[in-house]
Structure formats: structure tokens, C-alpha cells
Amino acid sequence: MKKRIVTGIKPTGDIHLGNYIGAIKPALELAKDEEYQASYFVADYHALTKMPEPGELPQLTNGIAAAWLAFGLDPNQSILYRQSDVPEIFELNWILACITSKGLMNRAHAYKGIVDHNRQVGKEVDSGVNMGIFTYPILMAADILMLKTDVVPVGKDQIQHVEIARDLAESFNHHYGETFVLPQFQVQEETAVLPGLDGRKMSKSYHNTIPLFEEPKKLQKRINQIKTDSLPPEAPKNPDESTIFTLYKEFASTEQVEAMRARYEGGIGWGQAKKELFEVMNNYLEEPREKYNELMASPQKLDEVLVMGAEKARAVSVPFLKEIKQKMGFSL
Ligand code: TRP
């Protein structure tokens, strides 16, 4: 039997290059592998922890779904769905909540990070924390366990969440008998952290991102904002410490990368390096951008794909939830 891979992206803002390189690209490679059955979803209920404005969510959700498709996810071969279209996940969420110790959630790093920050600035420890944020890892465990997932491709910051899912699966199995598959995380080491415009990790919270589907002119402007040092053009430069080069590597061919490396060592002006980064990036993104725009202009078509995906996910989740409840003693 094929191994199941599942991963989700939260629709909380415009999707950026870091999301693509760190999550979408490696996940698409796995989806092509015959060994795997891939299920990719838009974690729209997870986005509720940030209380989106009324009507904001559909557009953001469609944006993530369109991005998967624009980069070549085949919805007939893989399963693409909205989390909120699979209600069994939320029933399982409660079941898992009841086997999760509160202490485990206290130690989950996203929550702990907020608490530590609040302490530092002298605020009440739980300031700004809603129960969605606190129990976020439980819903994520439900996403993973509901589909009998073997492998979860994630960024480094999500490893702990997959470990929590595994712990909860083990506790349940121990108490009610073998039920859940124990999931494993998979991190794409080399590309897990993409630098942003200021050289720090590309992240929405640092406001240093490059949106994926921006028009070429804006993309160029953005690339021109990448921070560089004040070395003169002819000075040799270290490609491995350059944000421009790190980004270039993701979009250029092996030969182009080798040639660029040599030019760094021989001296290249930052302006020229940026120009060439723009060219390879724009070239790479042109086709997906067109496809993305097309999909965003026909939300009905997107909806059809997502509804079909949810049906396929539910072909697993409906009977499996029954089995889970039976194990717990519910009469069905
Ligand atoms: N928490 C993930 C993130 O913020 C998104 C997510 C939700 C997820 N459910 C998931 C990822 C299940 C993998 C599997 O990036």
C-alpha cells in the first residue's frame, strides 16, 4: 500500500517565496513519487486563531489552493481540500483534546513563545492568547491522524507539532487498542530556511517577504530592496553569505549557479547580481503566475476541485471516525 503524506498551509496572508521553497516545492516532489498518496489541504480553521475579517477567508483560502495547482499539483492524482470541508477532523479534535494533558500544551513552543514574550514585556502571561492558539497542536494532530498519515513534510518550526500528534496517537492506541498510524515528520534540510529581503528568515512576521505571484515590475522592485553590504563591484564576494545568491540557487539551473558562483568570487556588482536574480526568478514564476491568475479569476472551478478533494478525504475520514468511536465504546 502507498504511504500517505499530508501537509497543510494556513491561509493567513499572501503566499510568499518562503512558503513555496520551504513547503510547496518539496511537497510537490513527494506528490509525484509513486510510493506516496499525497493529501494537501488549506488549514482554514487554523487561520481562525487570528480572527479574520468577515469575508476575508475565502479569498485567502482560494489563494493557497490556486498556488498548489499553479505549481503543478495534479488534483486527480493527489487530494487537495479545505480543512473545513472535512467535519470528521473536528470531531476527532475533541476526542484528542480529551486525551491531551494541559501541561503538554503549556510546553508547545508557539504558545510558550507568546507567554515568554508577555513575561518579558511585563504583560499578563496569557495576554493575546485565545483557546484556538492554545489548542492549535491538537487540531493539527487531528488533521494528521484523521487521514492515517505516515509522513508529514513540514518546516522546522512544525516538528514539535508532528511529535505531539505522534504522542497523542500513542496514548490513544495504548488506551483503546491499535488505531492510529504513528506519523513521522520530514524536513527539507537544505531549503528549510529561505532568507528574506533583510537577510533574516523570510517570514510574514518580519515583513521581509517576496510574494509569489507579484507582477514583474513589483518583483523587480522587491529584489532591489534586498540588503547588501557596501563592497565595490569589483571586490570578490562570498556567495554563501549572500541573500541574492541563496535565492538565485533556488531558481537557476546548475550551470547558471556554478557560473554565478565564479562571478561572485571574481567580483560582481550587487546591481548586476540583482538584475540576474530577477531574470531567473521571473522566468521561473511566469507560467505559474499566469495559471494562478486564471484560477483566481474562476473561483467556481477552484471550488469544484476542492469539493472533489474533500470527497476523497472523507472516503477515509468517515469510516475511520466510526472505527475510532467504536473502539471507544460508542454504539453506532
Ligand atoms: N501548523 C502548520 C503551519 O502553521 C499548518 C498545518 C495545520 C499543518 N495542520 C497541519 C501542517 C497538518 C502539516 C500537517 O505551517
Side-chain angles (χ1 to χ4, degrees):
M1 215 173 76
K2 287 188 177 193
K3 281 193 181 170
R4 291 179 181 273
I5 7 172
V6 172
T7 200
I9 298 181
K10 238 183 338 184
T12 45
D14 271 345
I15 189 153
H16 59 75
L17 269 181
N19 302 131
Y20 172 62
I21 297 295
I24 297 180
K25 194 176 170 206
L28 285 174
E29 269 154 35
L30 288 175
K32 281 197 209 121
D33 193 325
E34 287 288 307
E35 238 185 280
Y36 293 114
Q37 167 65 60
S39 300
Y40 297 148
F41 69 97
V42 188
D44 52 353
Y45 260 48
H46 272 117
L48 295 183
T49 59
K50 293 225 169 98
M51 291 237 277
E53 294 306 316
E56 196 185 5
L57 214 44
Q59 179 79 2
L60 291 171
T61 297
N62 284 351
I64 306 280
W68 280 112
L69 297 168
F71 282 109
L73 183 76
D74 177 351
N76 293 311
Q77 210 166 54
S78 305
I79 305 180
L80 178 67
Y81 60 99
R82 273 180 296 243
Q83 183 187 34
S84 62
D85 284 342
V86 183
E88 293 73 30
I89 292 171
F90 306 98
E91 224 176 306
L92 180 59
N93 178 59
W94 177 255
I95 294 170
L96 294 177
C98 294
I99 59 166
T100 306
S101 72
K102 179 171 174 286
L104 184 64
M105 293 297 96
N106 288 341
R107 292 189 294 277
H109 64 64
Y111 169 69
K112 214 165 149 275
I114 302 175
V115 168
D116 290 347
H117 174 78
N118 282 339
R119 277 216 181 89
Q120 258 174 19
V121 299
K123 282 192 189 161
E124 201 247 316
V125 287
D126 281 330
S127 173
V129 178
N130 57 45
M131 289 308 285
I133 292 174
F134 187 63
T135 60
Y136 186 105
I138 304 176
L139 181 55
M140 184 159 159
D143 291 327
I144 294 169
L145 300 181
M146 190 76 265
L147 292 192
K148 308 183 182 183
T149 308
D150 298 290
V151 180
V152 189
V154 281
K156 276 194 190 127
D157 60 329
Q158 298 295 315
I159 292 176
Q160 189 197 27
H161 290 154
V162 182
E163 286 172 339
I164 290 174
R166 195 182 167 90
D167 285 352
L168 297 182
E170 268 176 324
S171 305
F172 186 100
N173 289 355
H174 184 72
H175 200 77
Y176 294 110
E178 275 317 301
T179 308
F180 290 115
V181 175
L182 303 185
Q184 278 178 323
F185 62 83
Q186 182 168 317
V187 181
Q188 216 68 9
E189 279 299 336
E190 285 164 60
T191 53
V193 177
L194 195 75
L197 299 176
D198 57 358
R200 292 188 292 174
K201 178 189 169 183
M202 189 178 289
S203 161
K204 258 179 301 214
S205 41
Y206 294 151
H207 305 288
N208 64 355
T209 61
I210 302 180
L212 259 185
F213 299 114
E214 225 164 36
E215 292 311 308
K217 271 211 180 100
K218 281 198 186 155
L219 177 63
Q220 189 153 31
K221 232 172 118 184
R222 197 80 68 160
I223 289 172
N224 285 337
Q225 288 166 4
I226 296 175
K227 227 168 142 180
T228 50
D229 57 30
S230 53
L231 285 176
E234 64 283 1
K237 300 179 177 68
N238 183 353
D240 298 315
E241 283 175 6
S242 160
T243 300
I244 301 173
F245 186 75
T246 308
L247 293 171
Y248 188 85
K249 272 199 302 197
E250 296 295 337
F251 300 95
S253 67
T254 321
E255 296 85 60
Q256 283 173 315
V257 173
E258 280 321 301
M260 184 57 98
R261 180 178 281 284
R263 286 169 67 204
Y264 261 72
E265 282 153 9
I268 182 174
W270 290 129
Q272 184 62 24
K274 284 179 177 176
K275 191 165 159 262
E276 293 188 31
L277 170 62
F278 167 73
E279 273 159 22
V280 290
M281 223 184 226
N282 192 46
N283 195 18
Y284 187 102
L285 293 174
E286 221 162 14
E287 218 183 285
R289 186 195 296 134
E290 215 169 280
K291 215 164 154 200
Y292 174 85
N293 288 336
E294 243 174 67
L295 286 163
M296 290 305 275
S298 43
Q300 221 168 349
K301 222 162 110 193
L302 264 179
D303 210 56
E304 274 165 31
V305 171
L306 291 170
V307 167
M308 173 181 86
E311 273 165 20
K312 288 200 270 180
R314 295 192 76 199
V316 179
S317 66
V318 171
F320 190 34
L321 182 65
K322 262 200 190 133
E323 185 190 326
I324 294 163
K325 288 167 76 174
Q326 252 155 4
K327 290 234 164 99
M328 299 176 77
F330 286 99
S331 55
L332 298 166

